[in-house]
Amino acid sequence: MNAAILAFTHRHLAPTLLALIIPAILIAGCTVRMLVWLRPVSAEDKDPAIVSRKLRRTTVLSLVFALAFVSWALVLDQYGGPYEHGHIAIFVAVTLLGCVYCLSFLPQAAVLICGSVVSIFLAYSLMTGSEVFIAIAINLALVAGVILKTLHDSFAAFVELEMSQRALFTERRQAQALGAENAHLAQTDALTGLPNRRFFFSMLEDLMARARPGEEFCVGLIDLDRFKPVNDTYGHAMGDRLLELLGQRMLEASPPEAVVARLGGDEFGVIVQGDMANAENLTRAITAEICRPARLGDVIVSVGCSSGIASFPHTATSANVLFDRADFALYHAKNQRRGQCVRFSAELEALIRSEQAFDSALQAADIASEISLAFQPIVSTCDLDLIGYESLARWNAPGLGAVPPEQLIATAERLGLGHEVTLALFDKVLDALAQLPARLRLSFNLSGQDLCHPPTISGLLDRITASGCNPARLLFEITETSLIADLDNAREALATLRGTGVKIALDDFGTGYSSLSSLHQLPLDMVKIDRSFASRLDEAAGRRLVTAIRNLARSLSLECVIEGIETENQLISARLAGFPLAQGYFIARPATLDEVIDRLEEVEQLQYGTA
């Protein structure tokens, strides 16, 4: 545009070649370049090598065009009077500064144009001897220098912004990938690779929400028979390998539309589209696969399973009730029809409720005298130095014998006796704490119902105050399943307990409800890694996994205990993975308080004699 206007003002003063033809050629060249840059950009054009080549070519062409235009203008300056000479100076200055500004994202070209044009114009001005032209040239050089400095700073800021945006985009993609991986891990059982309890209930609730009128599906629960003897005989590591194998068999025996999940321990769940007959056929197929002998190294083991099924919507219309009904059916199968599949019915529910011998026994029990505690040590992996003990509930019910602790807690909570049982056990913990050396701490398990029951929390606080013990020696353990029902109340209860100086640990981390957000939201001091991870310490992939978990705990400033150490190799691997604390049968089995005290005295006598 400037060239066209300059040519117009000199059309009658200069020869036609100089005034019209040459500027027309230059303007046409600029127009061609402009059209080249305006054409659509293809994917091939974005190749870095092609882009670099085009930018270098543009830089060269910029210098060629600049020299051509300034040479033409200076030759044209031979014609006309003072006004035309002034127009030449304006043309050089305005065009130069405009081009430099437009080339702010290609600074090499801007610098070449500015340097060459200013040099030529200054030399020409000196040759003419015109003081006005010399002053204009010097002024133009100074202004151009300032503009180039500004251009340099602006381009540096642009590059920095581009690099930061690229880094942010890379980090965002990595965060998205990590988030997807964490979401997958949070819904996957670490041992078997099957969906876990969290995924199972999420899918169950989703199916209920989307169910159309008349649509039917069933929930089945499968519990292994004779699995405990495998653990007791061959160790938990062999038991975990068996669970992994059976999980794969179950998956292969199920149709693609069925959901097969590990709910915890040796219990599995299935969700099957269709009626009871379809669900029963599938559970029988799964049972057949489970009952096939399994070779685990040099050992061949054989287990069975019992199962219970309940249907939606005939049996229940909510996820928890439907699951409970399937659990009722499984309970009946385990006790009355072991190895078979039992359908839930109203008659079955009445029968099961009438068979609740545990309920009757606990209702008639003298809780304070019948329940007791066993203590399993927690040691340092470096030197096996004793750190403390985990207290484990025991119930020796008259007529029933030894009752598993989980059955005690479940029965107590079902009967509304959880408050009494928890406080009675805690009294025994405080008694034991007073008899143990002051350097040792004791951990005590709290259920989800305990955390959401204010009188229980108040009772614990009152007992801690009345005992006069050092609260720092107490560690309350909560399972991940305790957090699901009411996270807000659980967090408030834990914060209240922690305010006294006691420590809080998340138990069985990684078994099904693992959530990274829980680690951030809850007032925790420790995480206890589930025993299923210890069995994987013999594998390279398992060691990488537990190391990652340890690093996560360390990044959150949480103590870390790995449970289920069954062999010396596992203990060594746990130490190498960075776990400072461990517990398990290889270290010591649970013992009574008298046995623990006797053992401590023996150790002290041995140390004193050695000293």
Side-chain angles (χ1 to χ4, degrees), residues 427-438:
D427 285 336
K428 296 180 182 298
V429 167
L430 292 177
D431 290 340
L433 194 67
Q435 300 180 55
L436 292 174

Side-chain angles (χ1 to χ4, degrees), residues 80-132:
Y83 291 110
E84 286 74 19
H85 295 320
H87 192 180
I88 293 294
I90 292 174
F91 168 77
V92 172
V94 172
T95 304
L96 171 65
L97 299 181
C99 290
V100 169
Y101 174 78
C102 291
L103 288 169
S104 59
F105 292 103
L106 189 60
Q108 297 92 335
V111 171
L112 284 175
I113 290 175
C114 191
S116 59
V117 171
V118 168
S119 300
I120 292 175
F121 186 62
L122 181 59
Y124 175 78
S125 300
L126 292 173
M127 289 174 56
T128 60
S130 171
E131 293 183 354
V132 174

Side-chain angles (χ1 to χ4, degrees), residues 541-579:
R543 287 193 293 272
R544 289 195 297 269
L545 178 61
V546 296
T547 300
I549 295 175
R550 174 66 191 98
N551 291 337
L552 171 63
R554 180 179 295 164
S555 68
L556 297 175
S557 300
L558 298 176
E559 282 191 90
C560 203
V561 178
I562 185 164
E563 301 177 296
I565 298 298
E566 306 290 342
T567 65
E568 184 178 6
N569 285 339
Q570 290 177 1
L571 179 62
I572 294 173
S573 297
R575 181 188 304 149
L576 294 177
F579 287 94

Side-chain angles (χ1 to χ4, degrees), residues 338-359:
R338 184 173 291 268
Q340 299 184 40
C341 177
V342 174
R343 299 184 182 189
F344 177 83
S345 63
E347 295 78 10
L348 177 61
E349 181 175 10
L351 176 61
I352 291 172
R353 292 190 181 279
S354 68
E355 293 175 347
Q356 297 299 313
F358 289 119
D359 292 9

Side-chain angles (χ1 to χ4, degrees), residues 497-531:
L497 290 171
R498 196 165 183 253
T500 66
V502 304
K503 306 297 184 182
I504 306 296
L506 181 61
D507 196 14
D508 297 336
F509 182 75
T511 54
Y513 284 98
S514 298
S515 171
L516 297 180
S517 63
S518 296
L519 297 181
H520 288 284
Q521 295 178 35
L522 295 171
L524 299 175
D525 302 286
M526 175 187 289
V527 291
K528 299 189 73 175
I529 310 303
D530 185 66
R531 65 174 59 252

